[in-house]
Amino acid sequence: MEEFHSGDEVSFSPDEGSNVVKECIEGIIGGVDYSQNKVNQWTASIVQHTLTQLVKQGKPFKYIVNCAVMQKSGAGLHTANSCYWDTTTDGSCTVRWENRTMYCVVSVFAVAIAL
Amino acid sequence: IVVALFDKNVQNNEEHNLAVESTIGNSSYQHSKINQWMSGIVESSLSQLTKLGKPFKYIVTCIILQKNGAGLHTASSCFWDNSTDGSCTVRWENKTIYCIVSVFGLAI
């Protein structure tokens, strides 16, 4: 049985975050091809669903979830993030996913709340 | 790269003003230079923000996309304190490049 010391700070676990994100992406755009009509719905669902799952974990964090979906057409896409925060408690994770017709990049940032 | 600043004010109950002005200028998309540009944009935005000296944690994200007809969609969702936290997004383009920079400010 794990001991929990209530005075300890909780830090964000990128692996757990990645798992939550991967499940959400698979569930929403798992087997479908890029469709311009639907892509707005997809990005909105992915971020909302991911956020809900993260908040359900009940940890003392504020979250920002960012999702980009791009059609595969040979264009170059680059993304970068820079964060000014408390490195002992805050963290982020980024998941890159693709299928035959599109790329999806989801980033989650978790910032600890001072209790 | 010339980095310019957009001002956006934010302090606790006020709206957060973020200054981000980044000029990739007349440069065309060049795969070899992208990393430099992105680091430059993101780092200077962040340092301008921290210079403001406000009690915030910041997250700056940048997306650069070559113009060739591909569709790109992005969405963000945030779980935070609506009265003190905020974000702003700047979309910029030239003949060959789209650039999207988002800044999130979270009150400490």
Side-chain angles (χ1 to χ4, degrees):
Chain A
M1 180 169 144
E2 285 181 8
E3 286 190 18
F4 180 74
H5 301 280
S6 60
D8 287 349
E9 283 183 16
V10 184
S11 64
F12 179 66
S13 157
D15 293 330
E16 261 187 68
S18 292
N19 289 336
V20 171
V21 172
K22 281 181 195 157
E23 283 173 18
C24 290
I25 297 177
E26 283 291 329
I28 293 168
I29 51 176
V32 295
D33 288 343
Y34 181 85
S35 153
Q36 196 186 3
N37 303 334
K38 299 213 181 131
V39 71
N40 276 337
Q41 275 175 258
W42 291 338
T43 49
S45 306
I46 290 172
V47 291
Q48 279 170 16
H49 201 228
T50 308
L51 197 57
T52 318
Q53 298 294 94
L54 287 167
V55 169
K56 266 193 208 167
Q57 292 177 350
K59 299 194 177 159
F61 284 101
K62 294 179 178 178
Y63 295 102
I64 292 168
V65 181
N66 206 35
C67 168
V69 173
M70 185 174 92
Q71 193 179 9
K72 276 192 178 179
S73 73
L77 172 73
H78 296 257
T79 68
N81 301 318
S82 189
C83 308
Y84 179 74
W85 58 25
D86 182 342
T87 49
T88 53
T89 56
D90 306 331
S92 69
C93 74
T94 302
V95 173
R96 278 159 282 278
W97 181 95
E98 66 180 283
N99 71 6
R100 227 171 28 101
T101 52
M102 55 186 166
Y103 293 109
C104 177
V105 181
V106 178
S107 297
V108 175
F109 302 92
V111 175
I113 301 175
L115 292 168
Chain B
I1 295 180
V2 174
V3 177
L5 302 176
F6 307 76
D7 290 334
K8 220 184 155 192
N9 301 318
V10 172
Q11 175 134 30
N12 293 340
N13 298 327
E14 294 175 335
E15 211 182 350
H16 182 69
N17 287 337
L18 165 67
V20 176
E21 166 190 327
S22 115
T23 308
I24 308 178
N26 294 321
S27 309
S28 296
Y29 180 89
Q30 272 174 259
H31 183 71
S32 52
K33 298 228 175 122
I34 290 284
N35 278 338
Q36 270 175 262
W37 290 341
M38 297 191 69
S39 308
I41 291 170
V42 161
E43 278 163 32
S44 34
S45 304
L46 202 54
S47 55
Q48 297 291 346
L49 285 167
T50 52
K51 269 190 209 166
L52 296 173
K54 299 195 175 159
F56 283 95
K57 294 180 177 178
Y58 296 105
I59 294 167
V60 180
T61 73
C62 171
I63 297 178
I64 291 187
L65 175 67
Q66 191 179 11
K67 277 188 177 180
N68 88 338
L72 172 73
H73 294 256
T74 69
S76 299
S77 190
C78 308
F79 179 71
W80 58 23
D81 183 340
N82 282 332
S83 54
T84 57
D85 304 332
S87 70
C88 84
T89 303
V90 173
R91 276 160 283 278
W92 180 95
E93 66 181 279
N94 73 8
K95 251 183 337 113
T96 53
I97 301 174
Y98 288 113
C99 178
I100 302 171
V101 180
S102 295
V103 178
F104 301 92
L106 299 159
I108 297 176

